Amino acid sequence: MEQQQTGMKPFIQLLLATKIPKTALMIGMIGSIVTTLAGLVVPMLTKNLVDGFSVEALSVPLLIAIGAAFVIQAIISGLSIYLLSAVGQKIVASLRETMWLKLVRLPVTYYDEHSSGETVSRVVNDTSVVKDLITDHFPQFITGIISIIGAVILLFIMDWKMTLVMLIAVPITLLIMIPLGKRMVTISRGLQDETATFTGHVQQTLSEIRLMKASTAEQDEEAKGLVGVDRLLGFGLKEARIFALIAPLMQFVVMLVIVFIIAYGGMRVATGEMSTGTLVAFLLYLFQIIMPITTFAMFFTQLQKAKGATERIITILDEPLEEGQDGIEKDITDEVIEVNNVSFAYDMSEKVIDRISFTAQPGEMVAFAGPSGGGKSTVFGLLERFYEPLEGEILIGETPIKQLSVQCWRNQIGYVAQESAMMAGTIRENLTYGLENRHQISDDRLWEVAEMAFAAQFIRDFPQGLDTEVGERGVKLSGGQRQRIAIARAFLRDPKILMMDEATASLDSQSEKVVQQALSRLMEGRTTFVIAHRLSTIVDADQILFIEKGKITGRGTHEQLVNDHPLYREFAAQQLTE
């Protein structure tokens, strides 16, 4: 896919939007100017020393002045480089902070369309490109510009003819650098995209390492990984070839200029038009011009990379936030939940939910049954406000839930999934995850909810108790243990609404019995929505909604649906007949 060319304006606007330490930037810039001025004094002092050279003419003040210029230049240069680098580090830290705050507030739909690995690459790799430009190359560029301007002015004052001869090298250098720079832009963009793709693949593979091992897919993953490595190598070698051209060509032009200046200047010294000291000073100033120019190629290459990275960063920052960040706060205790003619589609080609309506009274258990792919999980996504309906609305009492803040709404919902997600960390951290006052919750309260969820016994069996590490995604715990911790977490939140995606479907019979007891205790007095994969768990539901192809084709109690709904009757005959 052809990349859109990014100008400098978005890049500069992005930097200006960050927290720039203006004082440090100003001191650093002043330091750069002072450093350059101190460096520009040295060739003039050297000229005086050479032109009047004799042992008797060596004056202590002159030698002290030269030494002082070097020392001042070194001290101020070090301070200036540090301050400018610190400015760059803080700008990038601010940029990463902005991106992170944005990413955690983006809607679920964004992550449906973008791999987490690619997004991680944007936060880490693309901001690193910007960081390298600001912290490493930008300070050198600023000091180089000042050095070149100062040196050229002094060279014109000393000998304008030789200066004009020297400047002939500028258009030659530009003719070499511009086409190489354009090529470098294309390569660097490709390298960044390939890095993001490769990072995404690595993260996905490693996060599903058990699936990969169980499927004996090592060879497939090895092959995919090696393809990614080869592509990165290809871009890296292309980049290396450009650098391999830039460095020798720049060196060739520089040596040509130096030789020409020495030859031309030598003739002028021989004819008496120029003093030896002036020629020496001229050469020293020439080096003060050449050295920064050699770093400019790297600066402009990095600038092009940063512009490409900026394009991707801005794409993320321009994404709309999840709706409902600033909605109203409302206690939903004893409120009726009403779903009115709600439709939804992941894309516009086909509706996943088509004009469904139902009402859940406070304390009722409402179950969703039906064939796979019918839309049961999508209804849960709409109730959780992971997605917004295309048509219709969901009300709590008389208030549309989209008017509530998402934090207020979700704080009053407890969710227990088939495979309860866990964060790497301790059991304590997982129990209190997301709670505002989590650091103030006492151990007594944690043990209380663990008892309620029938989880206390196995937690006590661990040597570290509540401080036991669960591993990435809770891999150190069994499925039943993870489910009971999820139920304990729900008890701790004390939700008004409980949502369960058949929390016992993947458990063995012994674990299922314990978890079912805990769930029954958790459901008491709460409005509960259940996705049923096994009808035995919902025969006592107040209301069962049978969903097929996004539509509710039957509703009622278990007995009513057995009598009135042929497909439900078939499901019941298959699952409930001993």
Side-chain angles (χ1 to χ4, degrees), residues 24 29 120 146 165 238 285 295 322 342 350 373 390 410 417 419 451 465 486 516 569:
M29 294 293 289
V120 168
I146 297 168
V165 170
K238 286 178 184 177
Y285 281 126
T295 65
E322 186 174 32
V342 165
E350 184 180 2
L390 293 179
R410 290 176 187 156
E419 293 288 340
E451 289 282 1
Q516 195 62 55
R569 188 184 311 121

Side-chain angles (χ1 to χ4, degrees), residues 148-168:
I148 288 171
I149 292 171
V152 168
I153 290 171
L154 290 170
L155 286 176
F156 268 111
I157 294 170
M158 286 170 55
D159 194 310
W160 65 270
K161 291 180 182 177
M162 275 186 61
T163 305
L164 287 176
V165 170
M166 179 196 72
L167 292 177
I168 291 172

